[in-house]
Amino acid sequence: MTLLKIDKLKKTYDSLTVVDIPDLEIKSGKITAIIGPSGSGKSTLLFMINGLEVPSEGCIRFEGEVFSSAQSYSLTVRRKMAMVFQKPVMFNSSVYENIAYGLNVRKNDLSYKKEYISEKVGNAARLTGLESKLKQKAVTLSGGEAGRVSVARAMVTEPKLLLLDEPTASLDPQNISAIEDIVREANRTYGASVVIVTHNMFQARRIADEVIFLLDGKIIEHGSTESIFENPSDPRTRRFVSGEMIC
Ligand SMILES: Nc1ncnc2c1ncn2[C@@H]1O[C@H](COP(=O)(O)OP(=O)(O)OP(=O)(O)O)[C@@H](O)[C@H]1O
Ligand SMILES: [Mg+2]
C-alpha cells in the first residue's frame, strides 16, 4: 500500500534546483533508505516530506492530505510523523523532558496521564541506553548521546512515519547496532514506516526493504535493496554502491 506519493516535486534555492522528482511512491510498513552523495538533496527531500520545507513546485500526498506551496499539512497529519535531524537539536532542559517533548505537546488533546508519559519515556530511554542520563541537561550530552536522545524523542510518540536523517552518523558500532534494532522494532511491532538517509551502505543493506539512489536532486534508481546492491540497472548506481567516485 502507498503511504506517501510525490508528484512533480521541485525545490529550488535561488536559481539552483536541488530536488527534482517527477513521481515517487513510498510504501506503507516498509523501511526505505535514501542514499546519494553529499549535496544530492537527501535532507531537503526529508524536510519537504515532513512539511518543514515548502516545495517550490509540485506536491506530496500523505494520509489523504496534500502539501504544496499553496497548502500545509494539518496538525493531525504532522503529528503522524517524527523526524531525527542530521544535526541533533537539544532543548535546554533535562534528557527526560527532551524525550517527553512529543508526548507533552499532545497530552491535553489525548489526555495522557503523567504516569503514561513517564512509562513511555522510561522505555525509550532504556532502549537507547539513556536511563542513567534522564536528569542530565541535554545540552551537556556528548554527540553520540545527543543523537540517541533524538532517536528516543522521535520514537516515543510511535509515529506512523519515522524520518531519520543519518541517525547513526556520530555513533560507535555498538550504538549503531542498538539504534538499528530500535528502528526495526518500531517497524515490526507497531508498523511504523521508516525513511532513513544514510551514507553507510552496510546499514542500508542491513536495514532497508527498498533503496532510493539520489543524485543531483534526481532519483536515478529506486528498487528493492537486493536489486540496488546486487543488480543495479544504472551504471551510476553501480559505481555509487561499490564506493567509486561519481564524476
Ligand atoms: N536553505 C538553503 N539555501 C540554499 N541552498 C540550500 C539550502 N538548503 C540546502 N541547500 C543546498 O541544497 C543542496 C542539497 O542539500 P541537502 O542538505 O539536501 O543535501 P544532502 O544530500 O542531505 O547532503 P549531505 O549528505 O551532505 O547531508 C546542497 O547543495 C545545499 O547546499
Ligand atoms: Mg543531509
Side-chain angles (χ1 to χ4, degrees), residues 37-44 47 86 165-166 197 199:
S38 185
S40 56
K42 305 180 297 298
S43 295
T44 307
F47 271 93
Q86 191 168 1
D165 197 349
E166 298 187 46
V197 170
H199 278 285

